[in-house]
C-alpha cells in the first residue's frame, strides 16, 4: 500500500441521552440524492461509478432475522430494497466495497421459516455477500439444515473460527468443526488483500436447544482470532484483517478487546483493523486502539458502515456510522423476481388464511401468546397423557396484531412462535417447577400447591427442559435426568392451528381469565 498522510476522522452525532452511545446516521434520501430509482433491475454496472482511492468500505448487516419482505410500518426494507441500497453503495466506491452479515440471518418469520432459510441463503451471493458469521439461530433447525444453507449460500462463506468439536464422554474440546464453518475468508479489492475472521460468542451455546449442540462447543475467541490473524497477515499477505462477530461488544469482554487490538509479535502488525458485532440487537459504537467495534440494531433497518483508509502501512479508521435504510429505496427487480419464485399465490393464500378468531382482542402480548400455547397444548395432549400437572413453555417471540374482528392468520401465529420446539413429558422436582413458572408462561389445569421436594409430571418445551449452562449442566431443570415418557411432535404454531381447527372461536375474556395461568400455589 502507498504511504501518505491520512486524516483520521470519526463522524458523530451527539446523543444527549444518558446511557446511549453516539451513533452516526445518514438518511438514505440524502445518500441516494445523485441517483434516480426505478422499478428496473438496478446493478452497480448501471449506476454512475466512482472509486475513492485508498478508501475501503465495509457494509455489514446484523440480526436480519428473516425479513424477506419490506414492512413499512417497522422500517424494515426487506431483501429487494436492501439490494438496491447495496448497489448504490457499491457504485459510490466501486471496487472498494465489501458486504457482510454478522449472523442470525434466517430465523424468525413465516416467510423464511417455512423454507428454513433456503431463500435468504440463496440470495446472499446475489447480494455479493462475502461472508456470514454463524449466529445462535443458524443452529435452530439443526446441524443438517445449517450445512444445507451453507451450500445454498455458495461463495458467501459461513464463518465460525471458534466453533469446535466437543468430546462429551471425556469432557474435552477437540478439533475445529470444519464440516460446519470456515475460520476465515480472504478476498481482494483493488490490490488490497482482506482477511475476514468469523466468530460467535462463547456463551451463546446456552441460546441453542442443547440437543442440537451436543458434540460442539464455542471456544473463547481471543487467542483463536490472534492465531487466525497471524496466518492471514503472514501466510496470505493480508493488508487488512477484520472480525465478523455474532456477539456484542459487551459479550466479547475486556480480554478480547484489548487482546485483538494490540500488535502481534509475529506479524508486527495490529491483529485486527475492525470488529463488526451483533446479537444484542443494539447499537455498539466503540473504538479501542483505533479499532472500531460497531453493531447496528436489527432486521435491516440500519446497516453498519466502516471506511478504512488503506493508503498507509497501517489501515486507519476514516468513517464509522450506523446508516438508516428504512423504506426509502425501490425494490431491485432481480431480487424481487427471485423472491416471487417462492412466494406465489398459493404461498400467500396459506400464509394469510384465517385459522381462528379471538373475540374481543386486537392484540396479544408475547406473554399472552405463550400462555395461549400452554393452555392449548394441554387441551390437545390431555387425552394421551392424563396426569400432567403443568405445561411450561418459553413464551412468544413477539406480540401479535390481530384484525379488528380478532382474526388470527397462520402467518401471524408463526411469526409469534417461529421455533420448531417439541414438548416433552417428564418427572421433575417441585423446586424446578416453582422457579420456572416464575419466569415462563404456564398452564396448570387444576389448583395445586407445589412442594419443592416432591416430583411432579410436567409437559415442557424442549428448549427450556433441556437447557444447559456453559458447563453443560441442566440449569433450568437440574432434577431432569434426561428421561421422558411422551413427546408431542407438533411444534408450537402447529399446536395452536390444530386447537383452532377444533375450536375456531374463543373469547379474549376466557383466554385472559384462565385460572390455569394462576393455579400454582407456593
Amino acid at each position: 500500500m502507498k504511504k501518505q498522510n491520512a486524516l483520521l476522522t470519526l463522524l458523530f452525532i451527539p446523543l444527549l441521552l444518558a446511557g446511549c452511545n453516539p451513533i452516526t446516521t445518514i438518511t438514505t434520501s440524502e445518500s441516494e440524492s445523485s441517483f434516480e430509482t426505478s422499478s428496473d433491475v438496478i446493478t452497480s454496472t448501471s449506476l454512475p461509478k466512482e472509486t475513492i482511492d485508498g478508501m475501503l468500505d465495509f457494509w455489514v448487516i446484523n440480526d436480519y432475522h428473516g425479513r424477506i419482505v419490506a414492512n413499512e410500518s417497522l422500517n424494515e426494507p426487506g431483501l429487494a430494497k436492501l439490494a438496491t441500497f447495496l448497489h448504490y453503495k457499491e457504485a459510490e466506491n466501486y471496487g472498494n466495497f465489501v458486504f457482510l452479515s454478522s449472523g442470525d440471518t434466517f430465523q424468525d418469520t413465516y416467510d423464511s421459516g417455512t423454507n428454513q432459510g433456503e431463500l435468504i441463503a440463496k440470495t446472499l451471493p446475489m447480494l455479493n455477500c462475502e461472508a456470514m458469521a454463524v449466529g445462535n439461530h443458524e443452529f435452530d433447525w439443526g446441524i443438517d439444515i445449517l450445512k444445507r444453507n451453507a451450500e445454498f449460500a455458495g461463495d458467501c462463506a459461513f464463518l465460525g473460527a471458534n466453533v469446535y468439536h466437543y468430546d462429551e464422554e471425556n469432557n474435552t474440546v477437540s478439533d475445529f468443526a470444519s464440516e460446519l464453518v470456515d475460520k476465515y475468508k480472504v478476498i481482494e479489492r483493488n490490490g488490497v488483500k482482506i482477511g475476514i475472521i468469523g466468530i460467535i460468542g462463547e456463551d451463546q451455546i446456552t441460546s441453542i436447544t442443547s440437543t442440537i449442540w451436543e458434540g460442539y462447543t464455542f471456544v473463547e475467541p481471543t487467542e483463536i482470532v490472534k492465531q487466525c490473524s497471524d496466518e492471514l497477515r503472514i501466510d496470505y499477505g493480508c493488508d487488512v484483517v477484520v472480525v465478523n462477530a455474532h456477539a456484542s461488544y459487551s459479550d466479547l469482554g475486556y480480554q478480547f478487546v484489548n487482546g485483538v487490538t494490540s500488535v502481534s509479535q509475529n506479524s508486527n502488525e495490529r491483529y485486527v483493523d475492525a470488529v463488526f458485532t451483533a446479537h444484542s440487537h443494539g447499537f455498539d459504537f466503540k473504538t479501542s486502539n483505533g479499532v472500531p467495534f460497531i453493531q447496528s440494531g436489527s432486521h435491516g433497518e440500519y446497516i453498519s458502515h466502516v471506511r478504512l483508509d488503506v493508503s498507509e502501512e497501517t489501515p486507519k479508521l476514516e468513517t464509522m456510522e450506523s446508516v438508516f435504510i428504512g423504506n426509502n429505496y425501490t425494490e431491485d427487480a432481480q431480487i424481487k423476481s427471485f423472491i416471487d419464485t417462492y412466494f406465489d399465490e398459493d404461498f400467500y393464500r396459506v400464509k394469510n388464511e384465517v385459522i381462528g378468531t379471538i373475540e374481543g382482542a386486537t392484540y396479544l402480548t408475547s406473554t399472552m401468546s405463550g400462555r395461549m400455547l400452554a393452555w392449548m397444548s394441554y387441551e390437545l395432549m390431555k387425552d394421551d397423557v392424563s396426569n400432567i400437572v403443568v405445561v411450561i413453555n418459553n413464551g412468544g417471540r413477539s406480540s401479535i396484531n390481530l384484525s379488528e374482528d380478532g382474526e388470527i392468520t397462520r402467518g401471524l401465529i408463526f411469526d409469534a412462535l417461529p421455533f420448531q420446539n417439541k414438548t416433552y413429558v417428564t418427572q421433575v422436582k417441585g423446586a424446578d417447577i416453582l422457579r420456572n413458572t416464575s419466569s415462563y408462561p404456564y398452564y396448570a389445569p387444576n389448583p395445586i400447591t407445589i412442594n419443592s421436594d416432591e416430583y411432579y409430571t410436567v409437559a415442557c418445551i424442549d428448549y427450556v427442559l433441556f437447557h444447559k449452562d456453559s458447563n453443560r449442566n441442566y440449569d433450568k431443570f437440574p432434577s431432569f435426568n434426561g428421561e421422558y415418557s411422551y413427546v408431542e411432535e407438533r411444534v408450537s404454531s402447529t399446536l395452536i392451528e390444530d386447537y383452532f381447527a377444533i375450536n375456531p372461536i374463543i373469547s379474549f375474556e376466557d383466554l385472559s381469565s384462565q385460572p390455569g395461568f394462576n393455579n400454582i400455589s407456593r
Side-chain angles (χ1 to χ4, degrees):
M1 291 181 288
K2 296 180 181 179
K3 292 184 178 180
Q4 65 183 43
N5 292 328
L7 177 65
L8 177 61
T9 305
L10 283 175
L11 301 179
F12 294 98
I13 291 179
L15 295 183
L16 303 179
L17 296 174
C20 290
N21 296 321
I23 302 166
T24 299
T25 58
I26 296 178
T27 63
T28 49
S29 58
E30 293 170 344
S31 62
E32 68 168 305
S33 58
S34 60
F35 302 116
E36 292 183 3
T37 60
S38 72
S39 60
D40 297 329
V41 175
I42 299 174
T43 67
S44 57
T45 56
S46 65
L47 293 167
K49 292 179 290 186
E50 177 184 359
T51 299
I52 306 174
D53 292 335
M55 296 296 172
L56 185 62
D57 282 321
F58 290 90
W59 294 91
V60 186
I61 58 169
N62 64 273
D63 301 284
Y64 194 73
H65 283 293
R67 266 54 184 184
I68 294 172
V69 178
N71 185 325
E72 293 188 6
S73 64
L74 297 176
N75 288 320
E76 297 170 356
L79 288 175
K81 292 183 179 182
L82 173 63
T84 300
F85 173 88
L86 293 171
H87 290 320
Y88 284 138
K89 295 307 171 185
E90 183 178 7
E92 287 178 350
N93 191 7
Y94 192 70
N96 291 327
F97 167 93
V98 181
F99 173 53
L100 307 171
S101 170
S102 293
D104 277 6
T105 305
F106 310 122
Q107 170 70 283
D108 211 18
T109 65
Y110 182 91
D111 296 344
S112 186
T114 48
N115 56 74
Q116 296 185 304
E118 176 181 329
L119 191 161
I120 295 182
K122 289 181 176 179
T123 306
L124 290 174
M126 299 169 67
L127 297 173
N128 296 322
C129 185
E130 292 288 354
M132 184 188 83
V134 291
N136 53 292
H137 285 297
E138 264 68 70
F139 289 83
D140 282 349
W141 295 305
I143 298 301
D144 289 342
I145 296 299
L146 193 159
K147 291 179 181 179
R148 185 207 70 172
N149 285 338
E151 293 180 2
F152 285 149
D155 291 336
C156 176
F158 278 29
L159 303 180
N162 62 327
V163 180
Y164 275 65
H165 292 115
Y166 191 87
D167 186 333
E168 301 283 350
E169 183 176 348
N170 296 307
N171 198 33
T172 56
V173 178
S174 54
D175 57 325
F176 172 66
S178 59
E179 78 282 6
L180 293 186
V181 286
D182 295 318
K183 290 184 177 180
Y184 49 70
K185 181 178 181 179
V186 178
I187 62 175
E188 190 170 326
R189 294 292 187 270
N190 282 335
V192 177
K193 278 194 174 181
I194 305 160
I196 306 161
I197 304 169
I199 61 172
I200 184 172
E202 61 181 304
D203 289 334
Q204 286 177 42
I205 203 161
T206 65
S207 297
I208 305 166
T209 302
S210 65
T211 52
I212 294 175
W213 53 257
E214 287 177 351
Y216 295 95
T217 192
F218 305 151
V219 179
E220 201 285 319
T222 306
E223 293 304 314
I224 290 174
V225 168
K226 292 165 75 172
Q227 292 169 11
C228 290
S229 173
D230 283 344
E231 291 178 22
L232 291 167
R233 299 280 196 195
I234 297 169
D235 298 340
Y236 292 91
C238 287
D239 306 295
V240 175
V241 175
V242 302
V243 171
N244 195 15
H246 190 76
S248 69
Y249 180 87
S250 60
D251 291 336
L252 295 171
Y254 178 88
Q255 176 183 350
F256 179 87
V257 172
N258 286 274
V260 304
T261 60
S262 60
V263 174
S264 168
Q265 294 182 351
N266 298 315
S267 69
N268 294 319
E269 296 183 64
R270 193 168 56 193
Y271 284 110
V272 302
D273 301 302
V275 180
F276 301 101
T277 58
H279 186 58
S280 68
H281 295 204
F283 287 87
D284 290 335
F285 203 83
K286 308 280 189 180
T287 58
S288 176
N289 295 327
V291 175
F293 289 73
I294 184 170
Q295 174 184 190
S296 298
S298 61
H299 304 169
E301 181 180 3
Y302 286 84
I303 188 169
S304 296
H305 174 221
V306 166
R307 173 171 289 177
L308 297 179
D309 183 343
V310 295
S311 60
E312 294 189 350
E313 191 72 24
T314 300
K316 293 184 179 180
L317 178 60
E318 176 72 16
T319 302
M320 175 183 181
E321 57 187 2
S322 292
V323 178
F324 179 73
I325 300 177
N327 286 282
N328 293 322
Y329 286 82
T330 56
E331 293 184 318
D332 174 81
Q334 182 181 25
I335 299 297
K336 179 65 167 61
S337 177
F338 180 73
I339 292 171
D340 288 344
T341 64
Y342 283 78
F343 297 169
D344 56 13
E345 289 185 5
D346 284 341
F347 172 86
Y348 285 110
R349 177 185 56 77
V350 173
K351 175 183 177 179
N352 297 322
E353 181 182 352
V354 175
I355 62 170
T357 300
I358 304 177
E359 291 183 332
T362 58
Y363 176 82
L364 292 182
T365 65
S366 58
T367 298
M368 185 58 73
S369 298
R371 289 177 173 179
M372 181 172 69
L373 171 62
W375 170 41
M376 293 181 175
S377 297
Y378 174 78
E379 292 297 323
L380 291 174
M381 294 169 59
K382 65 183 181 182
D383 291 338
D384 295 313
V385 187
S386 59
N387 57 341
I388 296 173
V389 168
V390 60
V391 180
I392 304 173
N393 63 59
N394 56 333
R397 175 74 171 176
S398 62
S399 57
I400 305 176
N401 289 308
L402 309 174
S403 72
E404 292 183 0
D405 297 325
E407 293 179 334
I408 190 165
T409 65
R410 181 175 285 106
L412 287 175
I413 283 294
F414 191 101
D415 287 350
L417 299 157
F419 303 121
Q420 306 298 291
N421 301 112
K422 299 177 182 178
T423 301
Y424 289 72
V425 177
T426 188
Q427 290 266 320
V428 292
K429 267 190 174 183
D432 294 344
I433 295 173
L434 293 174
R435 182 174 56 256
N436 285 287
T437 53
S438 296
S439 305
Y440 295 110
Y442 75 87
Y443 177 77
N446 301 301
I448 185 171
T449 299
I450 299 292
N451 186 315
S452 294
D453 294 326
E454 292 185 18
Y455 276 80
Y456 301 86
T457 300
V458 302
C460 188
I461 208 158
D462 54 9
Y463 174 78
V464 178
L465 180 63
F466 298 152
H467 195 276
K468 292 182 179 181
D469 60 22
S470 55
N471 293 318
R472 310 175 95 83
N473 297 316
Y474 291 119
D475 57 346
K476 306 286 187 188
F477 285 89
S479 61
F480 176 55
N481 64 4
E483 298 180 358
Y484 46 87
S485 59
Y486 180 83
V487 182
E488 174 52 73
E489 297 284 347
R490 288 172 290 186
V491 300
S492 301
S493 58
T494 303
L495 281 166
I496 291 181
E497 281 189 51
D498 288 352
Y499 182 86
F500 275 118
I502 302 169
N503 306 279
I505 301 175
I506 64 174
S507 75
F508 181 72
E509 183 178 356
D510 288 345
L511 175 61
S512 59
S513 62
Q514 275 291 334
F517 303 151
N518 300 288
N519 265 342
I520 290 180
S521 301
R522 288 159 168 77

